[in-house]
Amino acid sequence: MAKAVKINHVALVVSNLEKACEFYEKEMGLEPLPAFLFDYPTAFFKFNEEQQLHLTEWDDTYSFRGHVCVQVDDFNTIFYRMKELGVIDILPWGKVRQLPDGAMQMFVRDPSGNLVEISSAPGSSIDPKIFEDEELFKAGIYVSGRNDFRGYKSADATLYHDRT
């Protein structure tokens, strides 16, 4: 049987390619890459040597909770910048949190309304003022109130497989 081995790229549908490109390049620090000669608006960005983000402009419906998670190298700086931009969205998955593995987590909306989870690596240095921000921070994991515990769960879960 064939096995999926990694995520090559994530494609997000955007309503305005230029605004989306500016957000991902200027605010998220991604490097633009040449895209194929498609006959529709599209842009490719480099995450690292193996992974890309593809943006494509269409008149589609956007997901409220579906998201892509991006690990950042400086959670503090991006938290304050996203707060300044007013794009932190606490409605779908709750407030900014520190997960049990130590990683920080927040959700933002790009200019087209796509939900992007921003995460830090466990053990990253976090500005204590973020934990004091009662408007945007809440301790503990998100609780939906659904009380439906199906799925693969563990008290030792992590977003990062290589955690030691």
Side-chain angles (χ1 to χ4, degrees):
M1 178 170 97
K3 177 183 173 188
V5 294
K6 65 182 174 183
I7 294 175
N8 174 274
H9 71 271
V10 171
L12 295 179
V13 174
V14 299
S15 57
N16 182 305
L17 185 65
E18 290 73 23
K19 285 182 182 178
C21 286
E22 182 177 348
F23 178 81
Y24 286 99
E25 185 174 356
K26 305 289 188 224
E27 305 301 341
M28 301 297 288
L30 297 182
E31 175 187 339
L33 294 171
F36 298 111
L37 296 174
F38 296 114
D39 70 341
Y40 55 87
T42 191
F44 290 3
F45 289 89
K46 177 181 180 179
F47 271 112
N48 55 44
E49 296 306 315
E50 297 184 341
Q51 297 168 321
Q52 298 178 14
L53 172 67
H54 295 182
L55 303 178
T56 181
E57 184 178 307
W58 297 94
D59 292 327
D60 284 1
T61 303
Y62 301 96
S63 173
F64 177 65
R65 291 186 201 277
H67 60 274
V68 58
C69 181
V70 176
Q71 180 182 343
V72 296
D73 62 356
D74 183 351
F75 189 86
N76 299 318
T77 299
I78 203 155
F79 169 82
Y80 290 115
R81 179 62 179 152
M82 296 297 114
K83 182 177 178 179
E84 178 184 325
L85 292 173
V87 297
I88 298 174
D89 189 345
I90 63 172
L91 295 178
W93 296 109
K95 294 185 177 187
V96 177
R97 298 176 186 273
Q98 186 169 40
L99 300 173
D101 67 357
M104 292 296 292
Q105 170 192 65
M106 77 173 157
F107 292 87
V108 303
R109 293 280 174 187
D110 75 8
S112 295
N114 290 300
L115 191 61
V116 180
E117 178 180 350
I118 297 176
S119 174
S120 71
S124 296
S125 177
I126 304 301
D127 182 348
K129 291 180 182 164
I130 293 174
F131 300 120
E132 298 167 7
D133 189 325
E134 293 179 11
E135 179 185 344
L136 292 174
F137 179 81
K138 182 170 182 175
I141 63 171
Y142 172 73
V143 177
S144 72
R146 292 177 62 189
N147 294 315
D148 183 340
F149 297 98
R150 292 177 289 165
Y152 306 109
K153 300 177 184 183
S154 168
D156 194 35
T158 183
L159 297 177
Y160 300 91
H161 303 298
D162 60 355
R163 174 180 76 139
T164 55

